[in-house]
């Protein structure tokens, strides 16, 4: 394989693996910007992945080509509803957000596997879906020399949607009054409260947006990458998304960049055995690459973490 | 109601609420909760064999719970118990099968120390990074969990060339013919004694030593501890490392007691994550952890009887466990309700 061939192979794969991470990481950005740590993204992605597959399997005969897209919407709604558990516990019940997030992760995988075993008579794995997202060439753009085949050839609509969501999230968080309030609530809830911003409401909305996006992320993952659902389907993608959010400094575009970087690492670890030079590296190094890189990145590039100041603390009215 | 009573009542009420919601889930999904809970009960206490197996299951939970609780008490959140446990498991297994010809008196302690050291080292990384670069330990330990899983799998492959390692030598084993005979040949092993000793050691470190006082002070108020002349960085690293010792020993229980080998895993054991719940339920005290571990170990092992005896997927117990964590974390509401209830009674 020439270098160009490798590039044509690895860049599209990186985008392919990054798309679910982008959705989930931006979900994390919304939640933490409002001051709620969402460790439960992994669990919400599991639910999203499960709902996506189940909905796809049971409706593809009537919905046809629309199935995966409708499944995405359903996963979004269910993801938002599931994240309500975190919202209620963290905002209304003043629960420890990290612990609740851990509970959400355990709950997500347990509910999904319970239902899979119920529906498939004891089996721990669903059938494979037959109605998948189509791949296509972007008209005109795909004809650009070099960049065309690299970025716009044979891609998934969900990848384009992921980039669109990242840009939209940047606009919402930094250019709209809603975004200003969201950030204020995450930095200094008491000041925001004094200025008449409803802290509780903002946080509920932010957590539900994060649940919706993580749900989409899970459904994109299961419907493009694994095509079925089992206990190992999501396997850490949610935590990778959280890492991408931190790596991207709680900024939607930064999170997107970090997600692409992790996508590249995952693509390398999966496709590494076919690439010259890379295939001589023992596979375990490629497998742990994304995780080690995350740690190194946090130690080297980010320096002092600059998370939203009120992140992780319940807001109790009247308490200074 | 006194604060102390409420502190004890919150976890009890959480467990009851968890079981009630579990029953509701079973009814809604068309299963019989009475049949389900009977199967669960029999899976835990059915006969002397299941009791032996239940205690065996509780053993690693105690150590994992201690690991999380120790970190919590010193102001750290160790989500990395899972990874530290896996490294401990791998280290103990390696020492167990690779060394031959040692007397048990040397071989077994050596294997235990190897597990503790491996767990400690894995936790040390997170502690060091937190102290040196102030990177949040939650994110580092999560990443280290995955790294541990894949490294252990690669090690097993290179040691044995197969999907599992050789069995450990008898001289490194915790198994006990006496305990096995006593429990109708369950896999109950001496690990439970080690776990209980570690419960005492944790209590002793925290409550009876200067080290424990310093660790708790740093966890309680970093600035005050610094002002009093304690090294915050040193204490963060030390606290995390000690927490890793407990986690590594939990891995040794699986390596030297229950299984006697290590196999390639596609996912986590779950013991480390359940350790978080165990610690929470036990209010992060050593004795509390024993109760928490007993409950979770029993539920986890009892659940394996549910698919056979009642045809209910065993994940129902994972749902119940997650709900219990959820309710304990939301203790504020339960507390509020209890206080209101208490006041009404006093008013009469």
């Amino acid at each position: 394989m020439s270098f160009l061939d490798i590039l044509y192979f690895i860049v599209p794969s990186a985008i392919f693996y990054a798309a679910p991470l982008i959705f989930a990481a931006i979900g994390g950005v919304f939640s933490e910007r409002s001051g709620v740590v969402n460790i439960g993204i992994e669990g919400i992605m599991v639910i999203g992945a499960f709902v996506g597959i189940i909905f796809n399997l049971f409706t593809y005969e009537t919905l046809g080509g629309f199935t995966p897209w409708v499944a995405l919407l359903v996963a979004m709604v269910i993801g938002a509803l599931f994240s309500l558990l975190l919202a209620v516990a963290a905002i209304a019940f003043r629960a420890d957000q990290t612990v609740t997030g851990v509970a959400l992760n355990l709950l997500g995988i347990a509910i999904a596997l319970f239902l899979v075993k119920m529906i498939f008579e004891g089996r721990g794995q669903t059938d494979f879906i037959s109605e998948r997202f189509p791949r296509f060439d972007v008209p005109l753009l795909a004809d650009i020399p070099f960049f065309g085949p690299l970025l716009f050839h044979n891609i998934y609509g969900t990848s384009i949607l992921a980039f669109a969501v990242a840009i939209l999230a940047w606009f919402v968080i930094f250019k709209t009054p809603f975004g200003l309030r969201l950030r204020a609530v995450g930095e200094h809830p008491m000041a925001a409260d004094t200025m008449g911003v409803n802290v509780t409401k903002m946080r509920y909305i932010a957590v539900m947006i994060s649940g919706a996006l993580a749900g989409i992320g899970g459904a994109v993952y299961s419907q493009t990458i694994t095509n079925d659902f089992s206990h190992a389907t999501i396997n850490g993608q949610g935590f990778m998304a959280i890492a991408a959010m931190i790596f991207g400094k709680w900024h939607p575009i930064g999170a997107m960049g970090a997600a692409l970087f992790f996508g590249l690492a995952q693509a390398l670890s999966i496709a590494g055995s076919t690439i010259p030079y890379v295939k001589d590296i023992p596979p375990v190094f490629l497998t742990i690459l994304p995780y080690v890189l995350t740690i190194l990145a946090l130690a080297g590039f980010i320096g002092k973490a600059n998370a939203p100041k009120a992140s992780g603390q319940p807001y109790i009215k009247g308490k200074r | 109601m006194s604060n102390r009573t409420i502190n004890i009542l919150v976890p009890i009420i959480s467990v009851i609420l968890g079981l009630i919601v579990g029953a509701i889930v079973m009814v809604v999904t068309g299963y019989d909760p009475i049949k389900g809970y009977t199967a669960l009960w029999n899976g835990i206490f059915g006969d002397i064999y299941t009791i032996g197996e239940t205690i065996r299951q509780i053993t690693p939970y105690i150590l994992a719970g201690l690991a999380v609780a120790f970190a919590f008490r010193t102001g750290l959140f160790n989500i990395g118990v899972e990874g530290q446990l896996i490294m401990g498991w791998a280290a103990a297994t390696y020492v167990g099968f690779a060394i031959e010809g040692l007397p048990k008196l040397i071989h077994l302690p050596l294997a235990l120390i190897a597990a503790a050291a491996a767990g400690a080292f894995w936790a040390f990384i997170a502690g060091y990074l937190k102290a040196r670069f102030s990177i949040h330990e939650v994110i580092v330990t999560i990443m280290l969990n995955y790294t541990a899983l894949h490294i252990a799998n690669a090690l097993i492959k290179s040691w044995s060339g197969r999907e599992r390692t050789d069995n450990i030598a008898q001289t490194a084993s915790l198994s006990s013919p006496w305990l096995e005979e006593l429990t109708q040949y369950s896999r109950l092993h001496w690990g439970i004694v080690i776990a209980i000793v570690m419960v005492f050691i944790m209590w002793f470190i925290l409550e009876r030593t200067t080290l424990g006082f310093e660790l708790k002070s740093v966890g309680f108020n970093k600035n005050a501890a610094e002002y009093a002349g304690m090294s915050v960085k040193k204490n963060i690293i030390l606290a995390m490392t000690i927490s890793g010792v407990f986690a590594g020993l939990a891995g040794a229980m699986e390596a030297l007691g229950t299984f006697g080998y290590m196999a390639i895993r596609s996912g986590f054991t779950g013991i480390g994550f359940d350790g978080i719940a165990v610690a929470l339920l036990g209010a992060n005290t050593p004795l509390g952890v024993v109760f928490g571990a007993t409950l979770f170990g029993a539920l986890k092992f009892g659940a394996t009887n549910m698919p056979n005896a009642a045809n209910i997927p065993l994940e129902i117990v994972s749902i119940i466990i997650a709900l219990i964590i959820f309710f304990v974390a939301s203790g504020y509401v339960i507390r509020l309700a209890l206080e209101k209830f208490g006041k009404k009674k006093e008013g009469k």
Side-chain angles (χ1 to χ4, degrees):
Chain A
M1 260 204 270
S2 73
F3 180 71
L4 203 64
D5 284 336
I6 296 170
L7 216 56
Y8 281 155
F9 179 64
I10 208 78
V11 171
S13 314
I15 295 174
F16 172 63
Y17 282 107
L21 287 177
I22 294 175
F23 286 109
I26 288 173
V29 170
F30 272 99
S31 176
E32 289 223 0
R33 281 283 179 180
S34 82
V36 180
V37 173
N38 193 349
I39 292 273
I41 282 183
E42 170 89 4
I44 304 171
M45 279 186 89
V46 168
I47 292 289
F50 163 75
V51 169
I53 291 292
I54 292 292
F55 187 83
N56 190 315
L57 283 173
F58 282 93
T59 61
Y60 76 94
E61 277 170 348
T62 46
L63 290 173
F66 294 109
T67 315
W69 291 103
V70 182
L72 221 57
L73 279 177
V74 178
M76 179 183 88
V77 173
I78 305 279
L81 288 177
F82 188 61
S83 71
L84 259 181
L85 279 176
L86 172 71
V88 171
I91 302 162
F93 294 175
R94 302 178 195 175
D96 185 303
Q97 295 170 3
T98 315
V99 173
T100 318
V102 170
L104 217 58
N105 290 336
L106 296 176
L107 198 60
I109 192 83
I111 290 178
L113 277 182
F114 181 80
L115 293 176
V116 166
K117 285 190 178 167
M118 216 179 86
I119 298 168
F120 293 89
E121 282 138 22
R123 276 193 296 141
Q125 197 172 10
T126 67
D127 295 334
F128 282 90
I129 55 169
S130 49
E131 196 63 57
R132 303 178 51 182
F133 284 110
R135 311 184 98 161
F136 60 93
D137 291 358
V138 181
L140 296 176
L141 292 174
D143 300 331
I144 303 171
F146 184 68
F147 288 108
L150 195 64
L151 300 174
F152 303 111
H153 171 66
N154 215 4
I155 73 166
Y156 282 106
T158 45
S159 301
I160 299 172
L161 184 66
F163 293 123
V165 164
I167 293 165
L168 183 70
W170 164 78
F171 183 80
V172 168
I173 293 176
F174 291 102
K175 300 288 167 200
T176 62
F178 171 82
L180 183 65
R181 289 190 202 114
L182 181 83
R183 284 179 290 141
V185 162
E187 289 292 333
H188 203 313
M190 200 171 65
D193 194 9
T194 315
M195 296 307 289
V197 179
N198 187 336
V199 177
T200 308
K201 193 175 122 198
M202 286 306 294
R203 287 189 169 179
Y204 267 101
I205 294 171
V207 171
M208 286 183 76
I209 292 176
S210 90
L213 286 173
I216 294 178
V220 168
Y221 193 87
S222 65
Q223 289 186 99
T224 59
I225 295 174
T226 59
N227 297 313
D228 73 338
F229 180 85
S230 73
H231 75 279
T233 297
I234 291 302
N235 201 12
Q237 293 295 315
F239 293 122
M240 297 292 295
I242 293 168
M245 170 197 75
I246 297 177
F247 199 178
K249 297 197 173 186
W250 292 268
H251 190 292
I253 305 298
M256 181 184 80
L260 281 169
F261 174 69
F262 289 143
L264 183 69
Q266 286 193 49
L268 270 179
S269 76
I270 290 162
S273 57
T274 58
I275 301 172
Y277 303 113
V278 177
K279 74 177 171 207
D280 299 330
I281 304 169
V284 62
F285 289 108
L286 293 173
T287 323
I288 64 174
L289 188 69
Y291 312 112
V292 175
L293 279 177
T294 305
I295 296 174
L296 292 180
L298 289 174
F301 301 140
I302 300 229
K304 283 270 176 193
N306 42 4
K309 276 204 186 60
S311 193
Q313 291 153 11
Y315 175 62
I316 300 162
K317 226 180 162 95
K319 191 186 162 195
R320 306 189 43 139
Chain B
M1 244 178 283
S2 75
N3 216 4
R4 201 186 152 82
T5 339
I6 290 179
N7 279 344
I8 296 170
L9 275 177
V10 168
I12 292 175
I13 290 172
S14 301
V15 171
I16 295 170
L17 282 176
L19 290 172
I20 292 173
V21 179
I24 294 172
V25 170
M26 281 189 259
V27 171
V28 171
T29 50
Y31 295 110
D32 181 353
I34 296 174
K35 244 170 115 182
Y37 282 137
T38 313
L40 183 64
W41 179 265
N42 286 336
I44 302 168
F45 301 109
D47 50 33
I48 193 82
Y49 169 83
T50 53
I51 292 176
E53 282 284 310
T54 303
I55 298 174
R56 175 193 63 74
Q57 185 77 60
I58 290 167
T59 311
Y61 277 103
I62 294 179
L63 289 160
L66 289 179
V68 179
F70 192 88
F72 257 134
R73 286 292 281 277
T74 52
L76 297 165
F77 192 28
N78 186 2
I79 304 198
V81 172
E82 186 69 43
Q84 293 144 25
L85 183 151
I86 289 174
M87 291 317 266
W89 189 338
T93 310
Y94 182 74
V95 172
F97 74 77
I99 303 175
E100 279 166 25
L102 282 179
K104 188 154 197 163
L105 212 58
I106 299 174
H107 198 181
L108 178 57
L110 201 65
L112 287 170
I113 290 168
F121 172 68
W122 217 242
F124 164 83
I125 300 174
Y128 175 77
L129 291 172
K130 164 129 186 159
R132 175 75 176 73
F133 299 104
S134 53
I135 317 174
H136 204 288
E137 72 275 16
V138 166
I139 203 79
V140 176
T141 50
I142 288 172
M143 294 299 136
L144 284 175
N145 283 343
Y146 288 98
T147 317
L149 181 68
H150 294 303
I151 287 182
N153 283 348
L155 285 176
I156 294 165
K157 193 96 191 165
S158 78
W159 288 339
S160 66
R162 291 180 291 135
E163 296 289 296
R164 56 160 281 190
T165 66
D166 297 332
N167 281 329
I168 55 162
Q170 262 311 306
T171 45
S173 175
L174 279 168
S175 64
S176 139
W178 179 66
L179 286 176
E180 284 169 14
E181 213 168 309
L182 207 65
T183 54
Q184 286 178 356
Y185 301 96
S186 75
R187 288 173 292 172
L188 183 61
H189 55 81
W190 286 121
I192 186 71
V193 179
I194 293 174
I196 300 293
V197 169
M198 293 312 286
V199 170
F200 178 76
I201 289 179
M202 169 165 158
W203 169 83
F204 189 80
I205 293 178
L206 281 180
E207 308 299 336
R208 287 288 178 274
T209 63
T210 329
L211 170 72
F213 180 77
E214 274 200 29
L215 292 175
K216 278 190 293 180
S217 310
V218 170
F220 200 70
N221 188 335
K222 255 201 288 201
N223 301 329
E226 183 98 66
Y227 187 68
M230 300 172 190
S231 165
V232 171
K233 286 186 178 176
K234 191 195 88 186
N235 279 304
I236 286 176
I237 297 176
L238 206 57
M240 205 66 192
T241 309
I242 295 175
S243 167
V245 167
F246 291 109
L249 282 175
M253 296 302 113
E254 304 297 84
L256 310 175
T258 306
F259 294 99
Y261 63 87
M262 189 172 189
I264 286 179
R265 309 190 59 95
S266 65
F268 291 121
T269 66
I271 298 171
F273 297 117
D274 290 341
I276 299 167
V278 167
L280 270 178
L281 209 62
N284 300 320
T285 63
L287 194 62
V289 163
V290 175
F291 289 119
T294 306
L295 179 75
F296 279 93
L299 284 178
K300 273 275 156 138
F301 181 72
T304 54
N305 189 38
M306 293 178 80
N308 292 329
N311 206 17
I312 298 176
L314 60 91
E315 276 76 21
I316 185 71
V317 165
S318 306
I319 294 178
I320 293 170
I321 288 180
L323 288 170
I324 293 175
I325 305 178
F326 189 79
F327 290 129
V328 176
S330 312
Y332 165 74
V333 174
I334 300 176
R335 223 165 263 274
L336 213 66
L338 280 175
E339 269 162 19
K340 265 202 180 136
F341 181 71
K343 264 183 202 142
K344 234 185 237 165
K345 261 198 162 168
E346 273 164 29
K348 271 184 190 170

